Amino acid sequence: MSGNESDTIEARLGEQEYYRPPPAFVGQANVSDPAVYERFEDFPEGFEEYARLLDWDEHWETVFDGSDPPFYEWFGGGRLNASYNCVDRHLDSYGDKTALLWEGEPGGTRRIAYQDLYRMVNEFAAVLRDVGVTKDDIVTLHLPMVPELPVAMLACSRIGAPHSEVFAGFTAPALADRLADADSRYLVTIDGYYRRGEFLDHKRKADAALEDDTVDIDTVLVFTREDELHPDTDLEDGRDVLVADRLADHHGERIDPVSRAANDILFLMYTSGTTGKPKGAQHGTGGYLSYVAGTAKYLFDIHPTDTYWCFADIGWITGHSYIVYGPLAVGATSVMFEGAPDHPHRGRVWEIAERYDVDIFHTSPTAVRMFMKWGEKHLQPYDFDFKHLTTVGEPIQPEVWRWYYEHVGKESAVIIDTWWQTETGGVVISNLPALADMKPGSVGQPMPGISPAILGGDGEEIEPGMGTAGYLVLSRPWPGMLQTLYEDDERYISEYWETFSETDSDDWHDWVYKAGDSAVLAADGYYRVLGRLDDVMNVAGHRLGSMELESAIVEVPQVAESAVAPRDHPEKGQVADAYVVLKEDAESSEEIREAVVNAVSEEIGKFARPENVEFVTVLPYTRSGKIMRRLLTEISNDRELSDTTTLEDPSVPEEIRQQVESH
Ligand code: WTA
């Protein structure tokens, strides 16, 4: 989408009433003094407050080095180990305390105390060493929601090997792309896992991914979900290693945490961008861990005595930052679960919340809309009591917010909406829960030390209260931010910085981070995020690039070309509509429609399937040959068509609209 179009986005937003944080919450909050904002205005030193929450092997010398923008360094000269900070250092005070509380699908709870986690992480670190993993080798994980996933992450960070976890719902081709891009030689997977009563054969995805010529894997480590191997799992001699067998050789072994420089890589997290190729967001060790520990304590208000449940998948950034690194760094009990929220029944979430006396619950608006649709009767049988509720990932509609407040929070929990991205590492816009009134539908104010702004396409700042939407940008660096895109500095600059920065300047003040979202800033300083301005969709909380889906769809032999656009959906937030042009000799049919949907399921994963397939004869191309997906989005959502003058043929969108309507 080109620069000046955001000016024309109208913000039709009704003002909402405020809700005060409940006094009982405020009384116990980690942060209840507004001076925190002033302290963090002292840039960059304010952020040292977060870094001091960690144990460092060597203290940092420089808080922030901005001499080579936009490649920033945080806490340079410092050394630390993430696994030590999330596990070892809690042993003295909380050794017996539950670190991870895992709820498996067919039942079967595992309470993993910090002491147990310490043993598991050490033993798996020994196995990694045993198969040859050394410092700086990137280990790809393709693990579902089993305790072995956080164990593997922490074992990697213990020995200084960056991990790259690929969401388990991704299929072989998507896994292969990520393995190849990260030049990973090690893969960790599991034979199977449970979802809705089925024991899924997961390892086969790794087998298929490894057939790809671009992938060069030496060793596949295979965890087992049950005592017996999944009946369909094959092991390849010389390549596949059963973790259970190797663990037996390393029983009780201890591996010293490898001291990492603050700016050494902790992990990669692939995410969708505007081209087909996924981007490897690279996060460093000291800045990232400080930021997620700080936000876990200040924003999620986690106390070591709290049971905290982030209802996300660790395969995405939310789970990395706020199931694993953040909560464990501050010594919490973090709940994780396998399966689906409606299996075996629709009260499962509330049953778990009651059973473990969960204090803090963190989920997406998509999940809240789903709970709302299922109805209050599924909550009523359970006696849960939250002090703090969170939403993340998409805009939340005020009526959905109020339902969450009333029925889940029972009007006595504080609610925060949190805006951030894979790239930002942790939350950057959200109200500190004891310090600001809640306003349904708004994410709220910037986090301490963060300085967002809304810019028009011309780069001019849009003042608060104007009611005009524009580009959401962050004008000052922060410790949680990505370091770059893995081995692609150029793309890092072009995706995030080029639009609003003076790219020939050495002064970091001239560099502005473009988030890719549009937002409005109200007169009270609260931000409201509207959605993506680029070709990235947010389907049921999963971030997907249009181009990724399109490349899968054109694999169908009868398809000539395709463009994918998001359509607003009452429950899922957005769903994908696929516009498909067939080759001349092909005719639209139910079979081709199914083939299109299946192509996405097979190339990416079921979660990405397009909801609608529209057969059309043309797509809207600009004179420079780019598909204008924005016009398709308008057609999908029954909106008026915006400017079509840059199109090769300005009559095309109307033609498409008529073809869609005639079906
Ligand atoms: C969207 C997830 C509105 C936004 C943490 C962003 C949101 C993208 C919110 C990042 C929110 C995230 N309100 N929209 N509170 N939080 N988004 O990388 O479009 O999976 O750019 O990170 O989700 O998705 P990602």
Side-chain angles (χ1 to χ4, degrees), residues 230-306:
H230 190 292
D232 298 327
T233 299
D234 294 320
L235 296 176
E236 194 176 299
D237 264 357
R239 184 195 76 185
D240 296 353
V241 174
L242 267 187
V243 177
D245 291 349
R246 284 299 169 99
L247 280 174
D249 303 336
H250 297 282
H251 189 72
E253 211 165 305
R254 297 292 173 256
I255 300 289
D256 284 340
V258 171
S259 192
R260 298 285 277 168
N263 291 288
D264 282 347
I265 311 178
L266 180 61
F267 67 88
L268 302 181
M269 166 63 68
Y270 280 87
T271 187
S272 298
T274 47
T275 70
K277 195 170 159 267
K279 309 184 281 193
Q282 176 181 316
H283 282 286
T285 306
Y288 170 83
L289 198 64
S290 300
Y291 199 76
V292 297
T295 45
K297 180 164 180 182
Y298 288 27
L299 180 65
F300 296 103
D301 199 55
I302 302 177
H303 299 62
T305 45
D306 285 331

Side-chain angles (χ1 to χ4, degrees), residues 555-574:
E555 305 257 310
V556 176
Q558 297 90 339
V559 171
E561 53 181 350
S562 152
V564 171
R567 181 158 51 84
D568 295 338
H569 186 276
E571 281 142 44
K572 296 179 185 165
Q574 293 183 334

Side-chain angles (χ1 to χ4, degrees), residues 271 317-318 392-395 417-423 443 515 517 529 532 538 543:
T271 187
I317 192 71
T318 303
V392 60
E394 321 146 62
D417 183 7
T418 60
W419 178 82
W420 60 297
Q421 310 178 293
T422 303
E423 294 86 345
V443 281
D517 280 340
V529 176
R532 301 288 306 192
N538 205 323
R543 179 165 156 186

Side-chain angles (χ1 to χ4, degrees), residues 99-383:
L100 292 170
L101 222 169
W102 178 77
E103 181 77 18
E105 184 180 275
T109 301
R110 284 171 70 184
R111 272 185 188 274
I112 298 170
Y114 275 96
Q115 189 63 53
D116 306 323
L117 186 61
Y118 175 73
R119 178 184 48 76
M120 292 164 82
V121 167
N122 273 281
E123 289 177 356
F124 189 60
V127 171
L128 288 172
R129 283 260 173 93
D130 184 359
V131 299
V133 179
T134 54
K135 199 158 68 75
D136 296 322
D137 285 336
I138 295 179
V139 179
T140 298
L141 315 176
H142 189 223
L143 291 169
M145 287 294 279
V146 290
E148 288 72 16
L149 171 50
V151 166
M153 289 164 67
L154 294 164
C156 286
S157 59
R158 191 166 194 86
I159 61 171
H163 53 77
S164 168
E165 153 72 3
V166 177
F167 172 56
F170 275 118
T171 51
L175 174 61
D177 285 349
R178 287 155 178 78
L179 282 164
D181 191 81
D183 309 312
S184 214
R185 288 189 299 123
Y186 301 93
L187 173 65
V188 182
T189 186
I190 191 166
D191 59 341
Y193 64 98
Y194 288 92
R195 191 162 169 93
R196 297 212 165 84
E198 213 184 318
F199 188 29
L200 302 173
D201 171 10
H202 182 63
K203 159 81 163 42
R204 74 182 163 82
K205 295 186 193 170
D207 294 335
L210 268 49
E211 276 169 25
D212 193 308
D213 292 340
T214 61
V215 175
D216 189 12
I217 289 285
D218 298 340
T219 306
V220 181
L221 285 163
V222 187
F223 279 108
T224 29
R225 172 66 183 78
E226 301 280 11
D227 295 338
E228 300 275 310
L229 200 61
H230 190 292
D232 298 327
T233 299
D234 294 320
L235 296 176
E236 194 176 299
D237 264 357
R239 184 195 76 185
D240 296 353
V241 174
L242 267 187
V243 177
D245 291 349
R246 284 299 169 99
L247 280 174
D249 303 336
H250 297 282
H251 189 72
E253 211 165 305
R254 297 292 173 256
I255 300 289
D256 284 340
V258 171
S259 192
R260 298 285 277 168
N263 291 288
D264 282 347
I265 311 178
L266 180 61
F267 67 88
L268 302 181
M269 166 63 68
Y270 280 87
T271 187
S272 298
T274 47
T275 70
K277 195 170 159 267
K279 309 184 281 193
Q282 176 181 316
H283 282 286
T285 306
Y288 170 83
L289 198 64
S290 300
Y291 199 76
V292 297
T295 45
K297 180 164 180 182
Y298 288 27
L299 180 65
F300 296 103
D301 199 55
I302 302 177
H303 299 62
T305 45
D306 285 331
T307 300
Y308 163 86
W309 185 8
C310 171
F311 184 72
D313 194 294
I314 299 175
W316 307 103
I317 192 71
T318 303
H320 271 50
S321 300
Y322 298 119
I323 297 178
V324 183
Y325 285 116
L328 297 180
V330 299
T333 296
S334 186
V335 179
M336 57 184 287
F337 93 126
E338 177 191 47
D342 56 352
H343 184 88
H345 61 83
R346 288 179 167 179
R348 184 168 182 228
V349 168
W350 319 113
E351 183 183 45
I352 295 173
E354 176 191 278
R355 187 176 315 140
Y356 302 124
D357 201 8
V358 174
D359 303 288
I360 304 166
F361 182 67
H362 182 160
T363 192
S364 65
T366 289
V368 180
R369 285 188 294 263
M370 187 177 68
F371 299 140
M372 192 170 151
K373 184 178 134 208
W374 293 344
E376 289 97 62
K377 64 174 186 288
H378 298 288
L379 285 74
Q380 275 147 6
Y382 304 102
D383 183 19

